[in-house]
Amino acid sequence: MSNALFRTKKVEQSILDTEEPEHALKKSLSALDLTVFGVGVIIGTGIFVLTGTVARNNAGPAVALAFVAAGVVCALAALCYAEFASTVPVAGSAYTFSYASLGELPAWTIGWDLVLEFALGTAVVAVGWSGYVASLMDNAGWHLPEALSGRDGADGFGFDILAAALVLVLTAILVLGTKLSARVTSVVVAIKVTVVLVVIIAGLFFINGDNYDPFIPKAQDVPAGDSLQSPLIQLMFGWAPSNFGVMGIFTAASVVFFAFIGFDVVATAAEETKNPQRDMPRGILGSLMICTALYVAVSIVVTGMQHYTELSITAPLADAFKATGHPWFAGFISFGAAVGLTTVCMILLLGQTRVFFAMSRDGLLPRFFSHVHPRYKTPHRPTILLGVLIAVLAGFTPLSELAELVNIGTLFAFVVVAIGVIVLRKSRPDLHRAFRTPWVPVLPILSVLASLWLMLNLPAETWLRFAVWMAVGFAVYFLYGRSHSRLGRGQETSVGQVIKPDPGEGR
């Protein structure tokens, strides 16, 4: 039983699976495409919204340090992702990596986790995009009925038609091919980065140095309140919650971490990359470095333009320019945010479908979903299924309280990948690694500890919701996945290779 749950899938077999005609994705992406994907999904709600929230509530001008702290956690994980993505260039990201190093049950666990992370992430961002577009439409004199704007109408019905429509349009683009997706993303990312650079450059002329005093505001104790709303680190160690000060920076880091979510999505496109051994590390690390630099610069500028106590929570960048007497920039920023969030949705949806596709190809989910389109060579079936489900989710469900599940899901994936690097180094030292994570096992251990630290700073109710989702996942695995696993059943692939269950490979 133990060997069956922790049986690992050989890296060579994972790569052979990508050559099956009916299950092979088209290789069309370059290092530039991957970097654009990464920048496209990372720069989104976080930079346009969270900067003001955490500066006002948690860290003051030191929000720049919170972005640095979150960026360091992501960088540690990115080095581990880069080694795996260049060694195992197969769709599925952390799921595939875990299958090759930790075993089937851990792989299923992380795959199920990623399905939740990307689904909620796509829906949350789609709703945010809808809000920006609705605001721009209102300014132009076009008003949606309340019942179709996500707010309950007179009869109690409420459906966010804009959010649902966005997801469906992006689903169609993804079915037509990742190269088309990359071209659309390139145009949108260019617009989005231009907006961010305009904010940084223009904002430099409106900075008031007095707004940086104090840079790290004095710590303020806050009432503990409901224990479920308190960070788990407080419940475990009895630490009194506080805002501002040094601890406020770490609290802010656990919040702004949402702004970095997405670089790991780049790893899900490994199988569609022309030269994954060379290009995956470049795409992952390059996009993360670019976005961290932009985040820090924006946070320094916006807290210099307006005192942190006066920053807007809903639209800090736009309102900071209004406060300095330049309202034109507010509309420009809102337009950039609305355009930019489209790529965030698309790439999160792409990541989810690739994880679902990989799990289906391994038999842990119905194999029906592992067939690619005969013309476009994309996993059209899971793309359409998940796109429709997420469109309904974004249309009907208020997701503000569930957004933190995206954070905990991503951090959990970081922990698993870092452990997987250590395990695979010991179990398969013979594998060719085009990129090697430095200072193994020290750096992966630091990655695990840093991710766990941010996880402990999330509310306890987030952990409870995550546990419920994981419990459902375990039920699906033991009722379906375990008995249909191709690795467990020793099924023959269409390229003439046999996946043989090897009890000795369980560890």
Side-chain angles (χ1 to χ4, degrees), residues 318-334:
D319 290 346
F321 278 101
K322 287 182 181 179
T324 57
H326 298 81
W328 179 85
F329 284 102
F332 180 67
I333 292 169
S334 296

Side-chain angles (χ1 to χ4, degrees), residues 36 91 94 97 131 152 179 193 204 208 214 278 339 364 413 428:
V36 169
F97 308 156
D152 291 343
K179 192 61 181 180
V193 171
L204 288 173
N208 180 353
R278 180 195 67 189
V339 172
L364 301 182
R428 291 299 306 276

Side-chain angles (χ1 to χ4, degrees), residues 99-416:
Y99 214 161
S101 57
L102 302 177
E104 186 170 282
L105 182 59
W108 166 268
T109 302
I110 198 65
W112 188 253
D113 163 60
L114 290 175
V115 168
L116 172 72
E117 172 198 338
F118 293 148
L120 287 180
T122 305
V124 168
V125 176
V127 172
W129 175 88
S130 172
Y132 276 109
V133 173
S135 176
L136 291 172
M137 291 174 63
D138 289 341
N139 293 337
W142 303 336
H143 305 289
L144 282 173
E146 284 195 358
L148 296 178
S149 63
R151 300 183 295 270
D152 291 343
D155 57 356
F157 174 83
F159 184 80
D160 195 332
I161 187 68
L162 292 176
L166 173 66
V167 175
L168 293 177
V169 170
L170 296 179
T171 297
I173 292 175
L174 288 175
V175 168
L176 294 177
T178 52
K179 192 61 181 180
L180 173 62
S181 306
R183 290 170 180 165
V184 172
T185 301
S186 297
V187 174
V188 176
V189 168
I191 297 173
K192 182 160 52 175
V193 171
T194 299
V195 171
V196 173
L197 291 176
V198 167
V199 169
I200 295 171
I201 296 171
L204 288 173
F205 295 96
F206 309 125
I207 288 178
N208 180 353
D210 293 339
N211 290 331
Y212 293 129
D213 186 21
F215 188 76
I216 302 179
K218 185 179 179 180
Q220 299 176 3
D221 291 339
V222 295
D226 186 351
S227 61
L228 286 180
Q229 299 289 343
S230 304
L232 198 64
I233 197 168
Q234 173 200 347
L235 300 178
M236 292 174 62
F237 301 107
W239 294 356
S242 64
N243 286 326
F244 307 108
V246 175
M247 290 304 298
I249 295 174
F250 288 109
T251 302
S254 68
V255 178
V256 301
F257 179 81
F258 182 83
F260 287 92
I261 287 176
F263 82 85
D264 56 320
V265 179
V266 176
T268 66
E271 193 174 324
E272 295 160 273
T273 303
K274 296 176 183 177
N275 189 345
Q277 285 78 10
R278 180 195 67 189
D279 294 341
M280 287 306 301
R282 293 180 181 181
I284 293 173
L285 296 172
S287 60
L288 182 61
M289 288 189 291
I290 291 171
C291 294
T292 301
L294 292 176
Y295 280 0
V296 172
V298 167
S299 60
I300 290 175
V301 167
V302 74
T303 53
M305 290 176 63
Q306 192 174 19
H307 196 267
Y308 74 91
T309 57
E310 300 173 354
L311 283 174
S312 163
I313 292 179
T314 55
L317 304 187
D319 290 346
F321 278 101
K322 287 182 181 179
T324 57
H326 298 81
W328 179 85
F329 284 102
F332 180 67
I333 292 169
S334 296
F335 169 75
V339 172
L341 291 179
T342 58
T343 58
V344 180
C345 282
M346 181 166 66
I347 301 168
L348 286 174
L349 182 58
L350 180 146
Q352 187 194 38
T353 57
R354 270 43 179 184
V355 173
F356 198 95
F357 169 79
M359 296 173 74
S360 172
R361 188 165 57 188
D362 288 331
L364 301 182
L365 290 172
R367 290 270 290 172
F368 171 82
F369 296 106
S370 66
H371 292 268
V372 297
H373 193 281
R375 177 179 177 184
Y376 303 119
K377 297 299 180 182
T378 57
H380 59 297
R381 291 173 179 173
T383 301
I384 294 172
L385 170 68
L386 296 171
V388 171
L389 291 177
I390 294 173
V392 174
L393 185 67
F396 280 114
T397 312
L399 297 169
S400 56
E401 294 184 0
L402 298 180
E404 287 170 333
L405 275 172
V406 183
N407 282 17
I408 196 171
T410 303
L411 287 165
F412 180 64
F414 287 2
V415 170
V416 172

